[in-house]
Amino acid sequence: MSSDAGILSRVSSSVSESPIVYKGKKAASDTAFVASKLLKSTGKAAWIVGTTFLVLVVPLIIEMDREAQFNELELQQASLLGSPKWCENNK
């Protein structure tokens, strides 16, 4: 049994020290490093886009909604006050 353990340990040590295993480990390490950097940069880009959207686009959407409500209110008031010419021009 001790000879089997000796052969097994020699084979496993020679396999773990082979250049193919070394290159595989290096490739896996490099891939993990690139993936980590990519995720970090993607997260930063998503943060910038999200913050820009909140600061610039959301207030614009709110203002456009207010303008639409104001125009609708003016149309309702004009129709109640009886100025059909103004209502026809804005449709």
Side-chain angles (χ1 to χ4, degrees):
M1 253 205 201
S2 64
S3 65
D4 289 340
I7 293 172
L8 184 60
S9 67
R10 277 188 278 153
V11 169
S12 69
S13 68
S14 67
V15 167
S16 65
E17 293 172 2
S18 80
I20 294 173
V21 172
Y22 174 75
K23 287 180 183 177
K25 286 181 180 180
K26 177 124 175 72
S29 173
D30 291 345
T31 303
F33 178 75
V34 169
S36 170
K37 287 289 189 181
L38 183 63
L39 285 174
K40 286 181 182 177
S41 64
T42 303
K44 289 177 184 177
W47 173 259
I48 290 170
V49 168
T51 305
T52 302
F53 181 79
L54 286 174
V55 169
L56 298 177
V57 178
V58 171
L60 177 65
I61 292 170
I62 292 171
E63 187 58 34
M64 289 171 61
D65 187 48
R66 283 183 186 165
E67 183 70 23
Q69 288 177 354
F70 182 72
N71 288 340
E72 186 178 326
L73 181 64
E74 283 183 334
L75 284 173
Q76 287 176 355
Q77 287 177 349
S79 67
L80 288 175
L81 295 175
S83 59
K85 291 179 186 177
W86 189 84
C87 289
E88 290 173 6
N89 291 336
N90 282 332
K91 286 186 179 178

